[in-house]
Amino acid sequence: MKWVICGVVFTGILGPFGFFGTMLSWILSRFTEDNREQGLVHVDLDMPEVSLDVQISKIKHHEKRTLEQQMDIVSYSRVMASDDTQLKINLISILSAHVNKHNVDLLKEAVFDKNESVRILASTALQKLEDDLIQSIIDQKRLIDDRASEDDIEAVEAIYFSLADTYDLYLSSGLVEIDSRDFFILRMLDCYIKVIEVNPQNKRSYEQLIDTYIIQRDTEKAGKYLEQYKKYWDEPITCKFWQAKIYFIKRDFEALKVILSDIPKETIREDKQLRSSLSWWCSDE
């Protein structure tokens, strides 16, 4: 249709020359292919498994291609390793909006990029993430003091729990220096303990305390909170799993085999946490 309109217009203006010119252009267009490409960057931050990827879609006009051919999935790591400065700068702005270990590791890598702008932006982004977390900790501590003076127990519980989670996020992000980790771990544990003092039936605080003390290989305190946990929640499989971990740290392999023998293999395979103990189950040690 567009060629007909062009033919009419140019014939009216240029006469026979316009008509033959339009016809020649139409004939040539049949033998040429439009290879223009559009680069579209799309990031889906709502899906955890996709949020770690930059989707670059390259669509060729007038060409039949499968969906797989039209779309390439390029990881954040590959973007940082590329020579596309603008794409890396765009990615840094995305990484600086959300704290997690993967994002922090990529930003630390970008600090050594050959491009000065990328290095400066990555360093600034890392500082921003850390400053935001520290400020959040300061603000929540101030809120605790304010609410404590008002005897608002529920609010104090919620803020202590939020503060503990902020410490946990800070520790897991990779932003904390090695020499400071013990300090922040103690602060996090203290917050979860304060939550329990306010509300002895805050389940997740017990879970965090038991898991963290097991990671710290403090079997005495892990066992202490495990016994308290049993008083409120009748979850024998979960408790046996924690107890098995404690036995493993103590290298009490006989007791470990006994307690694992009470847990059906099917249950271990179905549970994400219990699955990690399958190697103990199958071990001959």
Side-chain angles (χ1 to χ4, degrees):
M1 179 60 70
K2 67 179 181 180
W3 289 109
V4 173
I5 295 173
C6 288
V8 172
V9 172
F10 285 107
T11 299
I13 297 174
L14 301 175
F17 296 101
F19 174 79
F20 287 112
T22 303
M23 288 297 296
L24 181 60
S25 298
W26 178 79
I27 293 170
L28 290 174
S29 71
R30 300 298 90 191
F31 296 94
T32 58
E33 182 180 1
D34 188 350
N35 288 321
R36 291 173 298 174
E37 294 184 353
Q38 289 182 339
L40 304 177
V41 177
H42 169 69
V43 179
D44 185 354
L45 297 177
D46 295 326
M47 296 290 291
E49 66 273 17
V50 179
S51 66
L52 301 181
D53 295 316
V54 175
Q55 300 179 0
I56 300 179
S57 303
K58 295 181 178 179
I59 305 170
K60 289 188 177 180
H61 298 285
H62 310 300
E63 182 180 352
K64 293 182 180 179
R65 309 178 73 203
T66 64
L67 180 61
E68 291 78 8
Q69 289 173 328
Q70 290 178 9
M71 182 176 292
D72 296 324
I73 304 300
V74 183
S75 70
Y76 283 178
S77 299
R78 286 179 59 189
V79 171
M80 283 303 184
S82 73
D83 295 324
D84 193 326
T85 300
Q86 188 57 53
L87 192 57
K88 285 192 277 190
I89 289 173
N90 292 342
L91 180 56
I92 287 172
S93 69
I94 295 171
L95 298 176
S96 64
H98 182 64
V99 182
N100 60 48
K101 190 175 188 306
H102 181 77
N103 289 3
V104 169
D105 287 345
L106 285 171
L107 289 171
K108 286 182 177 180
E109 178 184 337
V111 168
F112 298 98
D113 193 87
K114 61 185 179 181
N115 184 279
E116 184 179 12
S117 296
V118 173
R119 295 197 301 270
I120 293 172
L121 286 172
S123 179
T124 303
L126 283 170
Q127 190 60 57
K128 173 186 177 298
L129 290 176
E130 186 163 20
D131 288 347
D132 287 347
L133 282 170
I134 295 297
Q135 188 59 51
S136 177
I137 289 171
I138 293 171
D139 291 343
Q140 289 177 86
K141 283 184 173 180
R142 187 180 297 115
L143 272 176
I144 289 173
D145 293 338
D146 293 342
R147 293 306 179 106
S149 62
E150 300 172 5
D151 295 326
D152 191 341
I153 302 301
E154 290 185 0
V156 171
E157 176 191 353
I159 300 169
Y160 264 123
F161 195 84
S162 176
L163 178 56
D165 278 353
T166 304
Y167 279 126
D168 190 22
L169 177 60
Y170 189 25
L171 287 161
S172 64
S173 70
L175 288 167
V176 181
E177 297 294 334
I178 294 176
D179 294 342
S180 302
R181 284 191 63 81
D182 288 344
F183 171 82
F184 285 104
I185 288 172
L186 288 174
R187 299 286 77 74
M188 179 186 71
L189 291 170
D190 183 60
C191 286
Y192 284 126
I193 291 171
K194 288 284 181 24
V195 172
I196 290 175
E197 290 175 355
V198 175
N199 178 12
Q201 296 190 45
N202 189 301
K203 186 177 182 182
R204 189 161 161 251
S205 287
Y206 283 102
E207 294 170 344
Q208 291 290 97
L209 285 167
I210 296 167
D211 283 335
T212 304
Y213 280 125
I214 286 175
I215 292 171
Q216 296 300 306
R217 305 183 77 81
D218 190 336
T219 55
E220 181 178 348
K221 289 183 178 176
K224 168 189 171 183
Y225 287 104
L226 176 56
E227 291 303 313
Q228 293 182 21
Y229 183 93
K230 292 177 182 178
K231 294 178 182 177
Y232 297 105
W233 299 282
D234 182 22
E235 298 180 356
I237 299 297
T238 300
C239 293
K240 285 179 180 179
F241 170 62
W242 274 321
Q243 188 63 61
K245 279 192 167 185
I246 292 171
Y247 285 143
F248 184 77
I249 294 170
K250 290 182 174 181
R251 303 187 68 79
D252 188 346
F253 298 117
E254 290 303 317
L256 175 62
K257 287 183 178 181
V258 171
I259 199 167
L260 286 178
S261 65
D262 292 335
I263 305 176
K265 289 185 180 180
E266 294 74 18
T267 304
I268 295 177
R269 291 192 182 95
E270 292 170 2
D271 189 283
K272 184 177 179 180
Q273 283 190 314
L274 293 176
R275 240 190 345 260
S276 65
S277 65
L278 191 60
S279 58
W280 304 343
W281 176 283
C282 301
S283 175
D284 293 328
E285 292 185 17

